[in-house]
Amino acid sequence: KKGKSGELVRFEAEHKDIHGKKQIIDFTLKPIINDDGQVIFMIPEGRIITQLKHDKSALKESEERYKRLLEATFEDVIISKGGKIIDVNNQIQSIYGFTPEEFIKTGLTKLVHPDDLDMVLNKMKNEATERYVHRGIKKDGTILYLEIQPGYITINNEKYRLTVIRDITD
């Protein structure tokens, strides 16, 4: 019906190639319309998207595994770039008292004790990866002592800071 009305038709189908291997094909049918506005022919185009489908599935599986690992740890895990917090795990709430969403919006300067802020910023600027301790500020204003283990990861060819935080106040 779409083709007869002059619309582009697109669909996916599974086919076997000449070697009997199953392939997923993304088909597009482009209508050719005559001077009277009638569709006289549909030009088929297809591209094999089996690998793309596999890659998307593998990426989704990897993301789900990453999320499960982040939520299973007892430490807080923060991903940041240029001092801006991008993502955190749910453990942040038991350490700081903020929900993950609140924590991301709060910003670094309100989470680090003012006397320790220059040291923390310097470590970030110098991309330090050694473990260190600084004081943090909970949502209710309580001071806590935190052990920090920074590292770096690459996501989509971009470098991000991965910080693991452990509350050592006790």
Side-chain angles (χ1 to χ4, degrees):
K1 289 180 181 180
K2 283 185 178 182
K4 285 184 180 180
S5 68
E7 291 182 57
L8 187 74
V9 179
R10 190 167 184 187
F11 61 96
E12 289 179 13
E14 190 173 281
H15 291 277
K16 287 184 180 179
D17 65 16
I18 59 171
H19 304 290
K21 183 179 175 185
K22 288 184 180 178
Q23 298 286 0
I24 300 171
I25 312 294
D26 178 29
F27 283 105
T28 303
L29 299 174
K30 295 181 180 179
I32 301 297
I33 301 170
N34 67 13
D35 292 338
D36 297 330
Q38 295 179 335
V39 175
I40 57 171
F41 189 71
M42 298 289 284
I43 299 176
E45 290 183 3
R47 66 183 178 117
I48 299 172
I49 58 170
T50 308
Q51 188 63 44
L52 177 65
K53 287 282 193 178
H54 174 73
D55 291 349
K56 282 184 180 179
S57 175
L59 178 61
K60 184 177 179 184
E61 184 180 311
S62 176
E63 288 172 349
E64 289 170 1
R65 193 170 52 245
Y66 155 79
K67 284 288 189 189
R68 285 193 308 270
L69 284 171
L70 277 181
E71 297 310 325
T73 184
F74 293 108
E75 288 88 11
D76 178 39
V77 179
I78 298 173
I79 297 174
S80 61
K81 184 168 179 69
K84 182 177 184 213
I85 299 165
I86 307 295
D87 200 5
V88 298
N89 64 349
N90 288 332
Q91 191 64 23
I92 199 74
Q93 198 154 358
S94 67
I95 294 176
Y96 281 92
F98 290 101
T99 65
E101 295 78 18
E102 290 172 327
F103 187 84
I104 290 169
K105 289 178 186 175
T106 299
L108 187 66
T109 56
K110 294 179 183 172
L111 300 168
V112 176
H113 191 281
D115 294 343
D116 295 342
L117 187 58
D118 285 341
M119 178 211 25
V120 171
L121 292 173
N122 189 43
K123 293 209 180 268
M124 291 172 67
K125 178 183 170 191
N126 294 320
E127 296 185 353
T129 56
E130 70 273 354
R131 193 173 296 191
Y132 65 96
V133 174
H134 77 74
R135 289 168 289 176
I137 304 171
K138 292 178 82 162
K139 183 178 181 178
D140 66 7
T142 305
I143 303 300
L144 61 157
Y145 288 83
L146 304 168
E147 180 182 63
I148 309 298
Q149 178 60 66
Y152 290 87
I153 58 172
T154 302
I155 303 172
N156 295 330
N157 296 321
E158 291 189 53
K159 190 175 184 179
Y160 288 83
R161 182 178 172 95
L162 178 81
T163 307
V164 178
I165 300 175
R166 180 177 293 148
D167 183 355
I168 59 170
T169 304
D170 292 338

